[in-house]
Amino acid sequence: MSAVVVARHRPADNPFASHRLEGLAYRCSELDLEGLIRRLEDLGGRAAIVGREGSGKTTLLEELAFTLPSDAVMVRIPGSSRRPWRRAREQLPKPVTSRHAVLIDSSEQLGPIGWRRLMTATRRAGLLVATLHRPRLLPTLIECRTDLGLLRELVAELAPADAPLLEPRLDELFERHRGNIRLCLRELYDVYAGRALTSS
């Protein structure tokens, strides 16, 4: 077993700290944001951003919110919520009107009954975009995918000086986390916090 060890960083200086990750833009080779909005309109204003965990769905949803011409309302449903529908309803404007664009993150937490209630509550919304793990319930606006090249690109952007040192282990890291970029970067945060990245 070998290990990669880098200099210990304070949390605020860690290149993989959450505030650094939040500053990353979504990478998409298919469509730019304007193209996504046109596609959303072609789909009748109701569609889903589809992808596995850690594939960039939330990042894209947040960027979309800043681009939409109508009043955008971000509804976040935490995975730990015991009553996800109630949490979602509390975040919706009252009433939801045609001037609102409702963007729902982690909508798979709702379950069938909660989803039906959400569809009823947002039926007058001008636009509706939800993130989902699999294509269902809504037409697919875009499917987010990850690959090893994306992980390498992000690591080079966040930690350019150490990227060559980390690069030989990125393929194993990507494979172990099954393409979940978020988990890969979280583990790299631990590396910079003073824990070694190990590989067999």
Side-chain angles (χ1 to χ4, degrees):
M1 178 173 290
S2 58
V4 174
V5 182
V6 297
R8 185 187 299 270
H9 284 64
R10 296 181 307 163
D13 298 331
N14 193 313
F16 299 98
S18 59
H19 69 277
R20 296 286 308 279
L21 303 185
E22 290 167 3
L24 294 172
Y26 179 76
R27 270 73 166 174
C28 178
S29 59
E30 299 178 32
L31 293 170
D32 58 15
L33 287 175
E34 291 183 0
L36 283 176
I37 292 174
R38 288 194 296 270
R39 176 167 169 74
L40 177 59
E41 292 171 348
D42 292 342
L43 292 171
R46 301 171 83 83
I49 297 173
V50 178
R52 298 170 62 179
E53 289 189 31
S55 61
K57 300 187 301 297
T58 299
T59 300
L60 179 56
L61 193 71
E62 291 173 343
E63 291 188 15
L64 197 59
F66 287 109
T67 310
L68 291 170
S70 52
D71 291 348
V73 179
M74 183 73 76
V75 176
R76 302 178 188 276
I77 308 173
S80 59
S81 177
R82 295 181 58 188
R83 297 178 177 177
W85 159 241
R86 179 175 294 182
R87 290 292 301 274
R89 182 179 58 189
E90 290 170 352
Q91 297 173 68
L92 288 172
K94 299 175 180 57
V96 177
T97 70
S98 59
R99 67 184 177 85
H100 291 117
V102 180
L103 301 105
I104 308 158
D105 193 25
S106 301
S107 58
E108 63 277 344
Q109 304 291 338
L110 288 168
I113 295 176
W115 182 263
R116 287 197 294 272
R117 289 175 175 172
L118 179 70
M119 291 296 99
T120 299
T122 59
R123 66 186 181 278
R124 298 186 185 280
L127 297 172
L128 174 71
V129 182
T131 63
L132 291 168
H133 289 158
R134 295 180 302 277
R136 62 189 180 96
L137 304 174
L138 289 171
T140 298
L141 176 62
I142 189 172
E143 185 169 354
C144 297
R145 299 182 179 90
T146 63
D147 56 34
L148 182 57
L150 174 60
L151 178 59
R152 287 172 172 156
E153 178 182 338
L154 295 177
V155 169
E157 180 176 333
L158 292 165
D162 291 328
L165 178 66
L166 296 171
E167 201 280 333
R169 295 291 183 263
L170 295 184
D171 53 348
E172 185 274 334
L173 188 66
F174 185 84
E175 183 69 22
R176 178 153 46 80
H177 290 301
R178 299 181 179 181
N180 187 323
I181 295 289
R182 184 190 306 115
L183 292 182
C184 292
L185 298 179
R186 188 175 297 167
E187 183 166 334
L188 289 171
Y189 174 91
D190 289 340
V191 172
Y192 278 76
R195 306 180 186 93
L197 173 65
T198 61
S199 175
S200 299

